[in-house]
Amino acid sequence: MASFVPYTYIQCPCVDLTSRSRPVDDAPSPRSQDLQDDDDERTFDPRAPRSNYSLYPIEYLLYCDVCSQIRCPRCVAEEIATIYCPNCLFEVGSSSLKTEGNRCTRSCFQCPICIGPLAVQSLESSPEPSLLSAEGANPLPTSGPWILACSYCNWNSSEIGVKFDKPQGIFSQLQRLRHGEDFSKHSTAGDVSPIKESATPDTAKARFAALKSFYNTQNNMNSTTSGALSGMGDYGFNSPGALSRIMNLYSGNNTSGLKPKAKSSIMREADSAGEGFRVADLDESAAITKLRQGGWDGTVTGDQAKSQVEEGARFADELWPIPYLLRTKRSKRCPVCRHIISKPESKVSNTRWRIRLVANNNIPSISIKPLNPPTPTGLLKPHQPVQYLLTFKNPIFDEIKVTLATPATTPGRFASKVTVLCPQFTIDANTDTDMYLDDVLKDGDKDGRRRRGDEGTHQAEAGKIWERGRNWVSIVVEVVPAPLHIEELSDSPRKEGESEADLGPLKEDEDILEIPMFVRLEWEGDVSQDQVGSTTAGKEKDSREKKELAYWCAIGIGRISQE
């Protein structure tokens, strides 16, 4: 069995907003006083299915310094800052996405076999420099035709019969090979499909564009012949006199002045390939013959078929170069106060952040380790008390008061006992002076005492911390693991109104001992800039305010032995 690593996950407070939403039925919404009472009595269950979407490591969380709240990737509001191609790092404007699509149009392609980058190469090799040439003559430039080649799997576009006349504008040349000279009539952005002999639209996007153009023409022809409400395509509501005519119909005024409704012409359906119509080909004899000749290697995999811009590729010779999908740089805002909590540099080549408020720099981190050496197997034995050290490290420059609360027994079928020996303590501020010197000296002195055996009399006591550092505090948590016996569940007494015990087999990861812990932080910090007015900024520059933050966290201790 793999060794277990203790962990600490933090719950984002946004899960409380979704759970308090009004039900779908007509039941009245609960009062605020009832919600507060429910919050006091409700215990967070880390094993609940909903908890899987609200627990995050502290490295994944952001922090809003205006609301003094934790923000997770699910509750932040994202805004696109920059759109770029990951291959050529060319920045693309948001307006060009509507006309050119979300693919790079600057000759950036991926290999359809291995998804590696494709390079433009010439089929004719360049002349060797050792050959004799006239004095002063310029070297001959490399001539075409040109192909797209992959340096990883040695695939090239000549295998599917695609060659280019010039090394520039590969994207437009592929579209001309696909649609002919009038490719702009039925083509859409990012449409790169196998070459066909006819110029009729064959891809799904091209057929849809042809059908849309055909039926728009039919609507326009029908609206011109109709004498009633004009514009059958949009029901005539954009006409200046449409509202007055509708009001006259219901009021009964000027009924004699209405013109008789002319008989509208019948719209016909698309019946040719140029209009987007295609008859389904149910004959698969050619595909079966091709499959017998090429075998398994001649077919495409599921990943290769999904990576294609157009669907329908079944054989390897139907795979075409894939234009690079554009990427985005996004800034994130707090969903409550709309304050920017994460903003990258707008320049594509710059990987730095202009604003980055991570939770690791604003709330204490929690680490856990056993107080005594663990057993050789690393498993927790039932009914045997085990003590662990919880270490809280303060990253900010203010003193923090910490209050902890845990249920007496862990939630779930197998209830283990939990006791926090020191549920309330303070952590000193993080100072810049001698940042590392104090910790190094303290750790060296502690190791020396261990070697001499001076720490043998150090016992865990209720209401006292175990150890204190410059900006960290360690406390002791004692747990008594519960036995993982299904038989004991049926014999245990049940309260009135409580459902029957689940006597099913042991579920996945149900042997892990997880402690739900409620953490409350209190400190005095500087007044936020958004809360200080421009006129009183100078007076309140040195003012401080009391801040609070409360959240649930799940602490994984270890696995309980099933013996």
Side-chain angles (χ1 to χ4, degrees), residues 444 446-454:
K446 180 174 61 177
D447 294 339
R449 292 196 306 269
R450 285 179 179 176
R451 288 192 297 266
R452 293 191 301 268
D454 297 339

Side-chain angles (χ1 to χ4, degrees), residues 49 55 74 94 108 117 193 219 234 330 338 360 451 527:
L55 292 174
R74 296 178 64 241
S94 58
C108 298
S193 302
N219 286 333
D234 52 2
R330 303 187 182 187
R338 306 298 298 175
N360 204 8
R451 288 192 297 266
V527 179

Side-chain angles (χ1 to χ4, degrees), residues 527-543:
V527 179
S528 177
Q529 296 181 0
D530 292 358
Q531 300 178 2
V532 178
S534 58
T535 57
T536 60
K539 299 180 180 179
E540 299 184 4
K541 183 177 181 181
D542 298 333
S543 61

Side-chain angles (χ1 to χ4, degrees), residues 112-113 160 192-194 196 202-204 278 287 290 298-322:
I113 305 298
I160 57 175
V192 182
S193 302
K196 298 294 179 181
D202 187 69
T203 61
R278 189 185 70 170
K290 192 174 183 179
T299 59
V300 300
T301 62
D303 295 338
Q304 292 174 353
K306 292 178 182 179
S307 61
Q308 290 290 304
V309 178
E310 290 292 336
E311 299 178 357
R314 294 184 294 178
F315 298 96
D317 56 355
E318 297 176 359
L319 295 176
W320 279 66
I322 308 168

Side-chain angles (χ1 to χ4, degrees), residues 425-556:
F425 53 91
T426 59
I427 311 176
D428 296 336
N430 183 17
T431 57
D432 289 336
T433 58
D434 298 333
M435 181 175 294
Y436 304 105
L437 184 59
D438 294 343
D439 291 342
V440 171
L441 294 178
K442 192 175 186 63
D443 292 342
D445 192 12
K446 180 174 61 177
D447 294 339
R449 292 196 306 269
R450 285 179 179 176
R451 288 192 297 266
R452 293 191 301 268
D454 297 339
E455 286 191 351
T457 59
H458 195 184
Q459 299 292 332
E461 300 180 10
K464 294 184 179 181
I465 63 174
W466 176 262
E467 197 172 5
R468 179 186 295 274
R470 178 179 51 87
N471 63 329
W472 55 271
V473 170
S474 296
I475 62 172
V476 178
V477 176
E478 184 176 277
V479 295
V480 180
L484 304 179
H485 296 159
I486 306 297
E487 298 79 8
E488 297 182 4
L489 297 178
S490 58
D491 300 336
S492 60
R494 295 192 302 270
K495 300 180 181 179
E496 295 183 0
E498 188 178 4
S499 59
E500 296 182 0
D502 185 9
L503 302 180
L506 197 66
K507 301 178 182 178
E508 183 181 3
D509 291 339
E510 198 173 8
D511 57 340
I512 296 179
L513 177 57
E514 282 186 327
I515 302 176
M517 181 175 291
F518 186 77
V519 182
R520 181 182 179 88
L521 308 176
E522 300 179 33
W523 74 97
E524 289 186 359
D526 298 334
V527 179
S528 177
Q529 296 181 0
D530 292 358
Q531 300 178 2
V532 178
S534 58
T535 57
T536 60
K539 299 180 180 179
E540 299 184 4
K541 183 177 181 181
D542 298 333
S543 61
R544 300 176 68 83
E545 63 177 354
K546 185 177 180 180
K547 297 184 179 181
E548 297 179 358
L549 176 62
Y551 56 88
W552 282 95
C553 65
I555 301 176

